[in-house]
Amino acid sequence: MSWVESIQKAINYMEEHLLEDITIEQIAQEVNSSVFHFQRTFAILTDMSIADYLRRRRLTLAAQELLGTEQKIIDLAYKYGYETPEAFTKAFRKQHHVTPSEARKKQGPLQSYNRLVIQVSLKGAEPMKYKIIEKDKFQIVGVKRTYNCQNGENTTEIPLFWQEINQSGFDHQLYQLNNGTVNGVLGVCVPNTEQGQKGFIDYWIATDHVGEVGEVGEDLLTMEVPASKWVIFEVHGPMPDAMQNTWKQIYSEWFPSNPYEPAGTAELEVYPEEDAYSPDSYSEIWIPIK
């Protein structure tokens, strides 16, 4: 089964179990995927977390039942996984901009999210510049935070993490420490392997550094990136759009038309020391493949 078929099978599984308390672990297991790889691919292709998709679909179906049946609101709340009518009403209003009672009285339009069907473009209309290299293990130094990918925390919090780093000037310190072969400051996404932390990632803002741990400062952490075969994509244009568009192109065009798949270890965004918001900005995406 190709990874594209796996994503579609996972969506079908979610649809079949919308009224159950399913977890990202169960969904990924259904398609023989790691939690890390599944949630990353899903978010890149759909611009939403798995939790977002489940919540939007459940509230869409709940709205349909409100309009088409005489089901009590409290019964619908429990049916669609909410512990109290108040929690259901809050979530319903956030999505539909009206309360369940107002929706039943047809007081305003509703927001409908349809069942997803993954459509992958193989046209390759925009050429992608990439190279594949073999690289030995190397050490990164920097800071890291752990994020929950099941609820989309990574999507909202990682940009704030970068903003904090840039405003503090810490990125300049990392550029000064960059004496390895990967040139620039790195955004490194790594699956969190701690027990009970499935669905979480560690996100590093770091740099490739050769030297002893004690030389880089007490506040910095180190991690060894394993030896891998890497596919390196060129990213041209201002952040964040250029980077986001390239990620989507990689998963919607490059992987489906090439005989590789992600290895599931650390993935890198590489930012050389230049104005990342310039129209002429250059950066890279490194993905370990197998």
Side-chain angles (χ1 to χ4, degrees):
M1 183 188 302
S2 73
W3 68 268
V4 179
E5 294 171 323
S6 295
I7 293 294
Q8 189 61 62
K9 184 179 178 183
I11 291 171
N12 296 341
Y13 178 80
M14 287 188 278
E15 289 289 334
E16 292 165 4
H17 297 82
L18 272 178
L19 301 185
E20 302 172 23
D21 186 20
I22 55 175
T23 65
I24 188 174
E25 291 85 4
Q26 292 172 312
I27 300 167
Q29 185 177 18
E30 181 70 15
V31 294
N32 299 314
S33 173
S34 71
V35 170
F36 171 74
H37 176 51
F38 174 67
Q39 63 82 20
R40 285 277 288 165
T41 305
F42 187 88
I44 288 168
L45 288 176
T46 67
D47 292 322
M48 71 179 89
S49 70
I50 294 157
D52 286 338
Y53 180 72
L54 291 171
R55 183 181 65 255
R56 291 173 181 179
R57 287 291 294 137
R58 286 165 178 160
L59 290 170
T60 294
L61 297 181
Q64 292 172 1
E65 286 205 53
L66 272 171
L67 295 178
T69 74
E70 297 299 323
Q71 279 261 53
K72 293 181 179 179
I73 291 174
I74 188 172
D75 293 334
L76 288 175
Y78 296 142
K79 179 178 180 179
Y80 287 98
Y82 292 88
E83 296 182 355
T84 66
E86 291 77 18
F88 175 64
T89 296
K90 182 178 180 180
F92 193 95
R93 182 197 287 272
K94 184 176 182 180
Q95 175 161 315
H96 297 291
H97 308 298
V98 293
T99 67
S101 298
E102 291 168 341
R104 174 153 279 170
K105 296 174 185 177
K106 300 180 174 57
Q107 295 180 358
L110 300 174
Q111 298 280 347
S112 177
Y113 289 92
N114 298 326
R115 179 178 182 146
L116 279 180
V117 176
I118 297 295
Q119 295 181 336
V120 177
S121 169
L122 299 180
K123 296 179 181 178
E126 297 182 16
M128 302 188 72
K129 293 185 178 180
Y130 72 93
K131 60 184 176 181
I132 294 176
I133 67 167
E134 300 269 359
K135 181 171 174 55
D136 289 337
K137 64 184 179 181
F138 61 97
Q139 174 184 258
I140 63 170
V141 299
V143 291
K144 73 169 181 175
R145 292 181 184 171
T146 301
Y147 298 106
N148 185 346
C149 297
Q150 300 188 65
N151 62 9
E153 179 186 38
N154 56 313
T155 304
T156 57
E157 294 299 319
I158 288 176
L160 297 178
F161 187 17
W162 273 104
Q163 182 179 340
E164 180 183 326
I165 292 298
N166 292 334
Q167 288 178 347
S168 69
F170 181 68
D171 55 329
H172 297 299
Q173 182 181 346
L174 290 175
Y175 282 120
Q176 292 172 359
L177 290 169
N178 182 206
N179 62 356
T181 57
V182 184
N183 180 31
V185 168
L186 313 177
V188 185
C189 188
V190 189
N192 186 295
T193 57
E194 293 183 21
Q195 188 153 3
Q197 294 289 296
K198 291 182 179 179
F200 286 72
I201 61 165
D202 290 335
Y203 189 85
W204 291 70
I205 297 179
T207 198
D208 182 359
H209 178 78
V210 179
E212 296 296 327
V213 176
E215 297 175 359
V216 300
E218 296 180 357
D219 296 333
L220 300 184
L221 302 173
T222 66
M223 182 183 74
E224 182 178 278
V225 177
S228 302
K229 176 185 286 186
W230 297 88
V231 55
I232 303 173
F233 296 92
E234 295 184 6
V235 181
H236 297 273
M239 297 299 112
D241 291 347
M243 185 65 70
Q244 294 170 352
N245 292 339
T246 304
W247 272 112
K248 186 159 290 188
Q249 192 177 9
I250 289 167
Y251 276 90
S252 64
E253 294 182 20
W254 193 86
F255 273 120
S257 56
N258 284 275
Y260 302 102
E261 59 182 89
T265 50
E267 298 176 347
L268 317 178
E269 294 176 351
V270 182
Y271 300 96
E273 191 172 9
E274 59 180 58
D275 181 6
Y277 301 98
S278 165
D280 300 322
S281 175
Y282 173 81
S283 50
E284 295 175 343
I285 291 174
W286 290 44
I287 302 177
I289 54 177
K290 58 184 179 180

